[in-house]
Amino acid sequence: MKRSSERILTTHAGRLDGPPELMQLSRDVMAGRATDLNAFTAQIESGIVDVVRKQAQAGIDVISDGEVGKFGFGSLAYYGRRLSGLRMRPLKPGEAAYMALQTNERIEFADFYRELQFLPTPSERAVCSSPVSYIGQEEVQQDIQLFKSALAKANVRTEEAFMCVLAPGWLEHFFYNEYYDTDEEYLFALADAIKHEYKAIVDAGFILQIDDPALPDTYDMIVPQPGIEEYRTFAAVRIEAVNHALQGIPEDRVRYHICWGSWHGPHTHDLPLKHVIDLMLKVKAGAYSVEAANPRHEHEWKLWKEVKLPGGKILIPGVVSHASNVVEHPELVADRIALFAGLVGRENVIAGTDCGMGLRVHPQIAWAKLKALSEGAALATRQLWGS
């Protein structure tokens, strides 16, 4: 994994919006109006070419495929083609379709969330009802080949490229355990399955990004809210599962991303980073991507005064946010970068985003934010290197 050895490198958290026709295809898949994705392979590849070129035009150094072909990412529509043992069943009285729909924050701000609701309320829940195993070998190889082909066709210069996969603990968030005797047994079964996708991406020459909002975010999804130590015990098992899935994969080919969810809400029940920062740093990854720009978490830069970034590791702080339509000024971005560089060393910082921009802000705003990110990194480079 490349470091900011001569200048501040830039990246983002993964998801970006593709062309409008591809976004419509995504909605059709989610609504069940299109199921044969093989028929749309050329369209998906064209969409990846588009986002690759736009990332390069925005000045982003470490790019992704934008996850534009991952229709229903985090749903049975997507993972049902990769993991056995999953199915849908009707909701029982009082159940939520997935954990994020039943949280302490949603209870406190019930009026707000009732008015915010713009999607149909799900009537089914995805569950694990039989042994989990990995069946997505052809799926992941198609993802890899599409990205490689798009990179060749885009013909742009990039420093590195990465692909995103969910952590076992975040998969658990979407697919409830109704088969294994304990949730821990289920969690490690998920880890044993998804590790095949992790390895395939690294073997293909890409950086693997593990997306794990679950580390801090599940705290608010346990009702009533647990005590801090009780939750840390819960979270520590999820970290063990991540590392179990990463066995045999070089740390410097892995980046680990956490956030507190991408929805535009109050986030008053977010677990402070201070309670899980040590657990995050136990993940066997070369880089850690953390929200640091939105108004609920920007102050947490102060933790790095006391917490030492392990030797050889990289911090990817979010210096532009998905949580606002306001495009950050490049000078503000540079200030944020310089702040972290002063705490952990300029060579150990890659400037990033809080979360994925796709589906969170309008595409025009997303690309403007990424442009501001690269312009801010250039300003920070002049400040930190004096040239």
mmCIF file of all heavy atoms in Angstrom, residues 8 117 132 161 198:
data_model
loop_
_atom_site.group_PDB
_atom_site.id
_atom_site.type_symbol
_atom_site.label_atom_id
_atom_site.label_comp_id
_atom_site.label_asym_id
_atom_site.label_seq_id
_atom_site.Cartn_x
_atom_site.Cartn_y
_atom_site.Cartn_z
ATOM 1 N N ILE A 8 0.680 14.426 -0.110
ATOM 2 C CA ILE A 8 -0.512 13.839 0.485
ATOM 3 C C ILE A 8 -1.346 13.163 -0.605
ATOM 4 O O ILE A 8 -1.801 13.817 -1.549
ATOM 5 C CB ILE A 8 -1.359 14.903 1.210
ATOM 6 C CG1 ILE A 8 -0.600 15.479 2.410
ATOM 7 C CG2 ILE A 8 -2.701 14.310 1.650
ATOM 8 C CD1 ILE A 8 -0.336 14.492 3.531
ATOM 9 N N GLN A 117 -39.043 9.025 6.256
ATOM 10 C CA GLN A 117 -39.268 7.776 5.556
ATOM 11 C C GLN A 117 -39.841 8.033 4.158
ATOM 12 O O GLN A 117 -40.920 8.586 4.011
ATOM 13 C CB GLN A 117 -40.234 6.889 6.344
ATOM 14 C CG GLN A 117 -40.481 5.528 5.724
ATOM 15 C CD GLN A 117 -39.255 4.627 5.757
ATOM 16 O OE1 GLN A 117 -38.461 4.702 6.685
ATOM 17 N NE2 GLN A 117 -39.095 3.803 4.754
ATOM 18 N N VAL A 132 -23.924 -21.568 6.315
ATOM 19 C CA VAL A 132 -23.371 -20.536 5.444
ATOM 20 C C VAL A 132 -22.084 -21.042 4.801
ATOM 21 O O VAL A 132 -21.209 -21.581 5.487
ATOM 22 C CB VAL A 132 -23.080 -19.240 6.238
ATOM 23 C CG1 VAL A 132 -22.314 -18.244 5.366
ATOM 24 C CG2 VAL A 132 -24.367 -18.626 6.739
ATOM 25 N N ALA A 161 -5.644 0.956 -6.652
ATOM 26 C CA ALA A 161 -7.081 0.754 -6.771
ATOM 27 C C ALA A 161 -7.539 -0.214 -5.692
ATOM 28 O O ALA A 161 -6.813 -1.140 -5.321
ATOM 29 C CB ALA A 161 -7.435 0.211 -8.147
ATOM 30 N N TYR A 198 -12.364 -11.874 0.189
ATOM 31 C CA TYR A 198 -11.223 -11.041 0.574
ATOM 32 C C TYR A 198 -9.973 -11.472 -0.189
ATOM 33 O O TYR A 198 -9.257 -10.652 -0.769
ATOM 34 C CB TYR A 198 -10.939 -11.174 2.075
ATOM 35 C CG TYR A 198 -11.993 -10.636 3.018
ATOM 36 C CD1 TYR A 198 -11.850 -10.816 4.396
ATOM 37 C CD2 TYR A 198 -13.122 -9.950 2.578
ATOM 38 C CE1 TYR A 198 -12.784 -10.322 5.293
ATOM 39 C CE2 TYR A 198 -14.066 -9.457 3.463
ATOM 40 C CZ TYR A 198 -13.888 -9.647 4.828
ATOM 41 O OH TYR A 198 -14.811 -9.167 5.711
#
